[in-house]
Amino acid sequence: MTACAIEPAAGDEDDRTARPGCTITADGAYAARLAPAGDCWFPERWTLDGPEPYAVPLPGHQPEEPGTEVQPMGDGRVLIRRLTDGRHHFSLLYPTGPGTGELPLGAVECPDEGTRLRLLPPAPGGDTAYALAVGRHSSAVWLVAGGAFGPEHLAEVPGRCSGGVWLDRTGRMLALDREAGGRTKTVVVDLERGGEVSPLLQIAADSDDRLLLADPDSGLLLIRSDAPSPGQDRVGWGVLGSTLPVRFPECLRPAHCRVTPFAIQPGQVLTPEHCGVALRVDGPLGSWVGVWRPAERQMRHLPAPEGWLAGAGLWTEDGVLQLPYATAEVPCGVARMTVPAVAAAQRASVPREPRESREAREQDESDEVDESDGEADDPDEPDPPAPVAPRPMPLQQAPLARLVTK
């Protein structure tokens, strides 16, 4: 038997996206991380849905090994994955007075050399957890918590997969970035149809297209692709089931920086273009926070709080961005930022236009839209300078788009 390799550290070429400093449940109630204690590490659970955040340490009988993963569950327990004797062991941790209780769930063995196994992002609902085992020629999706009889093999996907984004609030549709034939495209695995695989994102035949983030309420998708600039990855956006193509705003390509979206404002069911998007910006001077909305032509750069668990955070429906941080003085803190839309801020500072003038102007603008076949509705930046890649394929042409949005 050959053990699975530990998944790469943040920044590895196979990882593509820097791993956040902690993991937060889909509903934002709990978070979990490996907290430092000198030269050692131990699991820690954060409660985020109360008046003030607080942390509960969950140390085991010995410090955790490098490569150990933790993930919060919806009931406050913490799932932990440990690699021991070539097997990935899963347990649920919970506080028991002064100590830590542990409920073993079973183990997954990866006999093929070079196979990597890692936890997938927290599933909607919080009562199940999943892992992805990536082998030489295929990838396996495992249910590792919430099953009836321990870890359960759910699906086998041809090709090497990465990423992992949930497209609905039931935990049925899982999007994965699959490498096959020298190109990476996003596919969706239907976990209620025996792991049926369908294509989701194929912008151009010769482009690498990855799904970074999705909001089930509005259908807003954040994408990384080299379709508009061959050989150079750019961040773009689209809407699941939309007839419009994926768009790549120039403001999401700051010089000498890499941007990674980590949170989308929920609840904007009919207005995906007004969803707030939080992005981690990594540059020569460190990491900070970017805030952007598809309807805006600019990204606002905000200083991250001291001790920010970089890449972690969540939006509330009313537009408050919450960023967890830990310092020596505040070992468990959440910075809250209210970031109004640019248009709203401008309206607040400009005298109100008379009703008659406003109605006349809106009628003129409506006429202009009709004459231009709807192009005036596009709030994004102009197309990138030449040479321009072929026009991206609209998302609605992907077979699964209609299935997901039923």
Side-chain angles (χ1 to χ4, degrees), residues 47-134:
T47 299
L48 303 177
D49 61 350
E52 293 292 335
Y54 65 92
V56 176
L58 297 170
H61 299 296
Q62 61 186 25
E64 301 299 337
E65 297 291 333
T68 298
E69 286 186 293
V70 293
Q71 184 174 117
M73 303 295 291
D75 58 6
R77 294 183 292 180
V78 172
L79 174 69
I80 187 167
R81 177 191 68 82
R82 301 184 179 104
L83 180 61
T84 306
D85 298 328
R87 293 163 61 89
H88 296 265
H89 294 263
F90 298 90
S91 298
L92 290 173
L93 307 179
Y94 53 93
T96 57
T100 300
E102 182 166 338
L103 175 63
L105 300 177
V108 173
E109 182 177 348
C110 302
D112 295 333
E113 184 177 358
T115 299
R116 295 185 298 108
L117 186 144
R118 63 176 178 83
L119 293 175
L120 287 165
D127 55 353
T128 56
Y130 300 82
L132 180 70
V134 184

Side-chain angles (χ1 to χ4, degrees), residues 20 22-28 30-32 70-74 119-130 164-166 168 171 174:
C22 73
T23 304
I24 305 175
T25 54
D27 63 359
Y30 296 100
V70 293
Q71 184 174 117
M73 303 295 291
L119 293 175
L120 287 165
D127 55 353
T128 56
Y130 300 82
V165 176
W166 296 100
D168 61 356
L174 173 66

Side-chain angles (χ1 to χ4, degrees), residues 215 217-220 222 263-278 291-296 315:
D215 174 54
D217 293 334
S218 63
L220 179 64
L222 274 297
I264 300 178
Q265 180 182 357
Q268 312 299 301
V269 178
L270 300 178
T271 56
E273 67 278 5
H274 295 300
C275 290
V277 179
V291 176
W292 166 82
R293 289 176 172 84
E296 299 175 355
W315 286 93

Side-chain angles (χ1 to χ4, degrees), residues 207 285 330:
S207 62
L285 301 180
V330 183

Side-chain angles (χ1 to χ4, degrees), residues 353-367:
E353 183 179 10
R355 177 179 177 182
E356 295 78 5
S357 300
R358 184 173 67 254
E359 291 177 348
R361 175 179 52 79
E362 290 173 351
Q363 181 60 46
D364 291 342
E365 291 175 352
S366 176
D367 293 341

Side-chain angles (χ1 to χ4, degrees), residues 49-378:
D49 61 350
E52 293 292 335
Y54 65 92
V56 176
L58 297 170
H61 299 296
Q62 61 186 25
E64 301 299 337
E65 297 291 333
T68 298
E69 286 186 293
V70 293
Q71 184 174 117
M73 303 295 291
D75 58 6
R77 294 183 292 180
V78 172
L79 174 69
I80 187 167
R81 177 191 68 82
R82 301 184 179 104
L83 180 61
T84 306
D85 298 328
R87 293 163 61 89
H88 296 265
H89 294 263
F90 298 90
S91 298
L92 290 173
L93 307 179
Y94 53 93
T96 57
T100 300
E102 182 166 338
L103 175 63
L105 300 177
V108 173
E109 182 177 348
C110 302
D112 295 333
E113 184 177 358
T115 299
R116 295 185 298 108
L117 186 144
R118 63 176 178 83
L119 293 175
L120 287 165
D127 55 353
T128 56
Y130 300 82
L132 180 70
V134 184
R136 292 180 179 180
H137 306 293
S138 66
S139 304
V141 179
W142 287 81
L143 173 66
V144 296
F149 306 103
E152 178 183 350
H153 181 272
L154 297 181
E156 195 76 22
V157 182
R160 294 178 58 85
C161 293
S162 58
V165 176
W166 296 100
L167 297 178
D168 61 356
R169 294 203 177 278
T170 66
R172 171 182 174 180
M173 297 295 183
L174 173 66
L176 297 171
D177 301 326
R178 180 175 64 178
E179 180 184 350
R183 295 294 175 188
T184 300
K185 306 290 183 183
T186 303
V187 299
V188 176
V189 182
D190 188 337
L191 299 182
E192 291 188 4
R193 289 191 176 182
E196 178 181 282
V197 179
S198 301
L200 174 67
L201 182 62
Q202 301 181 73
I203 298 178
D206 57 350
S207 62
D208 290 319
D209 313 315
R210 296 176 174 86
L211 181 62
L212 303 179
L213 210 58
D215 174 54
D217 293 334
S218 63
L220 179 64
L221 307 179
L222 274 297
I223 293 154
R224 194 186 301 279
S225 173
D226 62 355
S229 305
Q232 299 180 10
D233 284 345
R234 293 183 58 178
V235 174
W237 70 281
V239 178
L240 195 64
S242 171
T243 59
L244 295 175
V246 177
R247 283 159 282 182
F248 296 86
E250 194 69 21
C251 66
L252 296 185
R253 189 171 60 164
H256 310 297
C257 294
R258 182 175 179 84
V259 298
T260 304
F262 63 87
I264 300 178
Q265 180 182 357
Q268 312 299 301
V269 178
L270 300 178
T271 56
E273 67 278 5
H274 295 300
C275 290
V277 179
L279 306 102
R280 170 178 174 170
V281 186
D282 296 298
L285 301 180
S287 301
W288 61 93
V289 179
V291 176
W292 166 82
R293 289 176 172 84
E296 299 175 355
R297 292 177 177 268
Q298 65 184 35
M299 176 172 63
R300 280 171 278 184
H301 297 263
L302 307 175
E306 181 184 357
W308 179 40
L309 303 180
L314 59 96
W315 286 93
T316 63
E317 288 193 12
D318 54 358
V320 177
L321 177 60
Q322 303 183 8
L323 303 174
Y325 68 93
T327 64
E329 296 76 19
V330 183
C332 176
V334 175
R336 294 175 171 85
M337 303 179 180
T338 301
V339 188
V342 170
Q346 292 174 344
R347 285 195 299 269
S349 61
V350 175
R352 185 172 181 84
E353 183 179 10
R355 177 179 177 182
E356 295 78 5
S357 300
R358 184 173 67 254
E359 291 177 348
R361 175 179 52 79
E362 290 173 351
Q363 181 60 46
D364 291 342
E365 291 175 352
S366 176
D367 293 341
E368 290 176 3
V369 170
D370 292 339
E371 294 170 3
S372 61
D373 293 327
E375 292 182 2
D377 271 339
D378 187 355

